[in-house]
Amino acid sequence: MKEISLLIADSNQSFCSGLCAHLQRIGGFRVVGIAADGDEAVSMFTRLQPKMLVVDLMLPKRDGLSVLKSISAQGDMPITVATTAFLSTYISSAVGNLGVRYVMRKPCDFGVLADRLEELRMEQYRTVPGIQSFVTNNTERMVANALGESGVPAHIKGYKFLREAIVTVTDDPDAINAV
């Protein structure tokens, strides 16, 4: 599976470098840019057209909501994960209306954030539309969450095999002997 381009918009340099390092270790992502403020985020998005975006909602110059509104006005929204230290009903509703797929409260664990990004990256490669795709996505999401809660990090060797094996057996219990 090919890498997906990702833009990070966050003013915290240590957060950006930590997330970049973690994503590089697990693979599947190509960080095409890091924006330290909202104006830079919109400019970089327009120029680079990444498929994924991690945006802090508390950016200098232009907040994350303004960034998202500017990006959505350009056309197709990237797969977006928003991070924030402050979360309210208004913010949740506003980012949901702007197409944000997941909101994570800061400070956050890079491993958990990378897991969510990986889940969202994998969703884009689903080819079977309709109910079966929804059920498979839901099952995979539940298995990934259960593995994460059990302390199994997504970057270890065999994680994807284990996740796929559990999903396969969940969908077809007779496949247990093949696993």
Side-chain angles (χ1 to χ4, degrees), residues 4-63:
I4 190 168
S5 57
L6 173 83
L7 174 65
I8 301 171
D10 197 300
S11 60
N12 183 330
Q13 185 57 40
S14 64
F15 174 84
C16 295
S17 59
L19 181 57
C20 284
H22 198 86
L23 292 174
Q24 188 173 21
R25 275 195 307 274
I26 65 170
F29 299 92
R30 182 173 38 88
V31 177
V32 294
I34 297 173
D37 64 62
D39 289 342
E40 187 179 17
V42 172
S43 173
M44 288 179 89
F45 178 83
T46 302
R47 190 174 72 251
L48 301 170
Q49 294 294 304
K51 299 296 181 200
M52 288 189 92
L53 172 66
V54 175
V55 61
D56 184 7
L57 297 179
M58 303 298 219
L59 289 170
K61 294 188 181 177
R62 187 189 293 200
D63 71 357

Side-chain angles (χ1 to χ4, degrees), residues 63-132:
D63 71 357
L65 288 176
S66 297
V67 169
L68 293 169
K69 286 178 183 177
S70 295
I71 289 172
S72 71
Q74 293 181 29
D76 290 337
M77 276 295 285
I79 299 167
T80 305
V81 172
T83 60
T84 184
F86 176 76
L87 191 59
S88 69
T89 307
Y90 171 76
I91 291 173
S92 297
S93 175
V95 297
N97 291 336
L98 290 168
V100 170
R101 303 286 291 279
Y102 194 81
V103 179
M104 185 170 271
R105 191 181 300 260
K106 285 177 115 180
C108 56
D109 179 82
F110 295 130
V112 175
L113 178 54
D115 287 348
R116 296 300 90 66
L117 290 169
E118 176 66 13
E119 290 166 11
L120 293 170
R121 181 179 81 90
M122 295 302 287
E123 271 186 21
Q124 87 160 10
Y125 294 108
R126 304 282 182 251
T127 57
V128 181
I131 300 298
Q132 182 60 39

